[in-house]
Amino acid sequence: MFFTDQILLSPTSNAVMSYLDSGPPSSSVSSYETIILIHGNSFSNAIFKRLLPLNTQYNIRVVAPSRRGFSGSTPFTQDEKLFFTEDDGSQASATDDAKAKILELRGVEILQFIDGFIQRSGIPPIQDNSQTVDGNGKTRKGGLAMIGWSLGATFSLSAIANVDSSLVSNEMRDRVGQYLRAHIMLEPALTGLGLSIPPETWLAFRDPNIPYSARAPLFSHLITGYYDYSQETLANRDRIAALNTIVPRISRTPSIYTFTAEEHDENVILTPESSIDLYFSKVLQHQLRKTYLKACYDEKLRINPALRNMVTVWEVIGDKSYSFVWPTFWEIEDDDMKAGEGEKGKFIQFMIINGVNHFMHWDEPEKTMGVFRRLLDAS
């Protein structure tokens, strides 16, 4: 069982964000952890539905907001959509300040949702537990992890990077800081970090031989496949070879072909409202890069009251996922080493999940929840 509701983000704008909620685990109403799952491009928050019934088994409350532009949440205004079109002139007319403000507002909306949910739900805050684990010190109970999946990592990164925004009150920062214990980037793409896909790489979105109307539907099929990468590609961290692995393996059915017709209509969202996602990386490339670097490696930001208990940031991928994930993983490894001046893992912890694809939460929900449980226990 689960339920849906809405959170009012801002009384001044009357914007709301709807969400799915598993409710508290029935085994524990006062000591459990919560995950806030932020969905990606072209797929709604319903893609997380198979995780919801597992809340008691893993002692995790599962919450999945529907981002602006998706079902149940406030649509974008015409001004907010202004630059996110095929019109290159409209895109070019946007100033850097206007672009930065767009991304800041998206991050603040996630923070407003989390703050509103904290106040409404009564979830347990972070609390230390004197019980030791393998003699390695205290564990922590309660609190929440924010998980940005695919393009959703763009929004979770923006939330982290903008905890110091003037739009965030001190009260909100203090409240969020009592709960936020981890940030998990679940299979972000290069473009979501403000990086370019090399021009020699084939992409459905930029192939002129594919009708424009077919590009997004084709992408939604390809991204749900399972992919095999050669040992040489992985050993050499060969970004071009990984990106050019574009044919799914035949030994496992792509996730989208396991959807019923009803599930397809609920999960795959290719509407004018959701199409803003398709332009984020193109229009906001510079701003995305700055946001990612600030959210992950700015040591001054880490002492912000909202992040005072966020001891761990994770980068997590499945080894059979679509070709964007391995190059992203390697880029973040390199950035972490650079920021840590040669010290691996100073800022980000890394995990590879064997045998799963980009839709691990759909095809392998128990395995995925087990991973989330381990990440929370390590945070």
Side-chain angles (χ1 to χ4, degrees), residues 238-256:
D238 189 333
R239 290 154 171 78
I240 298 300
L243 287 166
N244 283 329
T245 304
I246 60 174
V247 179
R249 64 191 295 189
I250 61 174
S251 57
R252 184 157 183 182
T253 303
S255 308
I256 199 167

Side-chain angles (χ1 to χ4, degrees), residues 3-42:
F3 59 91
T4 63
D5 208 338
Q6 290 181 328
I7 295 289
L8 178 65
L9 303 179
S10 168
T12 56
S13 68
N14 289 320
V16 300
M17 195 173 286
S18 69
Y19 63 97
L20 301 172
D21 184 1
S22 70
S26 60
S27 58
S28 173
V29 295
S30 61
S31 180
Y32 61 85
E33 287 71 52
T34 301
I35 55 175
I36 308 291
L37 292 155
I38 305 170
H39 65 91
N41 166 28
S42 303

Side-chain angles (χ1 to χ4, degrees), residues 133-154:
V133 178
D134 297 329
N136 291 325
K138 294 181 178 180
T139 61
R140 297 198 300 173
K141 299 294 185 183
L144 64 87
M146 177 167 51
I147 303 176
W149 169 65
S150 197
L151 184 70
T154 294

Side-chain angles (χ1 to χ4, degrees), residues 19-289:
Y19 63 97
L20 301 172
D21 184 1
S22 70
S26 60
S27 58
S28 173
V29 295
S30 61
S31 180
Y32 61 85
E33 287 71 52
T34 301
I35 55 175
I36 308 291
L37 292 155
I38 305 170
H39 65 91
N41 166 28
S42 303
F43 290 86
S44 75
N45 61 338
I47 200 66
F48 300 121
K49 273 190 173 181
R50 292 187 173 183
L51 301 178
L52 299 170
L54 303 174
N55 63 331
T56 294
Q57 181 179 343
Y58 292 93
N59 202 40
I60 297 174
R61 186 168 184 168
V62 181
V63 179
S66 178
R67 292 193 286 103
R68 294 275 308 280
F70 287 79
S71 177
S73 298
T74 300
F76 289 108
T77 67
Q78 289 303 313
D79 285 344
E80 289 171 323
K81 294 188 291 186
L82 186 62
F83 311 122
F84 298 99
T85 70
E86 274 292 285
D87 182 1
D88 290 336
S90 295
Q91 294 175 17
S93 68
T95 65
D96 284 342
D97 286 345
K99 293 177 181 179
K101 179 58 67 173
I102 288 170
L103 193 54
E104 177 187 2
L105 289 171
R106 303 293 79 80
V108 169
E109 286 168 354
I110 299 298
L111 292 171
Q112 290 171 331
F113 172 84
I114 291 173
D115 185 51
F117 183 78
I118 287 169
Q119 294 182 69
R120 169 181 294 184
S121 64
I123 62 173
I126 297 169
Q127 50 193 305
D128 284 331
N129 188 324
S130 59
Q131 177 185 0
T132 61
V133 178
D134 297 329
N136 291 325
K138 294 181 178 180
T139 61
R140 297 198 300 173
K141 299 294 185 183
L144 64 87
M146 177 167 51
I147 303 176
W149 169 65
S150 197
L151 184 70
T154 294
F155 295 84
S156 61
L157 285 164
S158 184
I160 298 297
N162 286 293
V163 293
D164 59 356
S165 167
S166 62
L167 301 174
V168 178
S169 68
N170 289 332
E171 292 79 9
M172 185 188 301
R173 275 187 278 268
D174 180 66
R175 204 158 33 237
V176 170
Q178 297 175 50
Y179 293 82
L180 182 60
R181 58 187 286 172
H183 175 215
I184 301 168
M185 296 179 284
L186 183 61
E187 303 222 308
L190 283 170
T191 51
L193 307 183
L195 297 168
S196 298
I197 303 297
E200 61 267 37
T201 302
W202 180 84
L203 290 176
F205 282 119
R206 65 187 184 197
D207 188 336
N209 294 311
I210 298 175
Y212 179 76
S213 61
R215 294 177 190 177
L218 177 58
F219 169 78
S220 71
H221 283 245
L222 291 173
I223 200 171
T224 69
Y226 286 79
Y227 294 83
D228 286 328
Y229 300 91
S230 72
Q231 289 302 311
E232 182 181 12
T233 294
L234 299 182
N236 294 333
R237 302 168 89 240
D238 189 333
R239 290 154 171 78
I240 298 300
L243 287 166
N244 283 329
T245 304
I246 60 174
V247 179
R249 64 191 295 189
I250 61 174
S251 57
R252 184 157 183 182
T253 303
S255 308
I256 199 167
Y257 298 119
T258 70
F259 294 175
T260 65
E262 293 77 14
E263 288 169 340
H264 181 278
D265 291 345
E266 185 177 38
N267 282 303
V268 185
I269 310 299
L270 303 174
T271 66
E273 283 296 330
S274 68
S275 68
I276 284 180
D277 283 357
L278 305 180
Y279 301 101
F280 248 78
S281 59
K282 179 179 180 181
V283 177
L284 304 178
Q285 183 177 20
H286 178 63
Q287 289 73 26
L288 290 172
R289 184 65 181 167

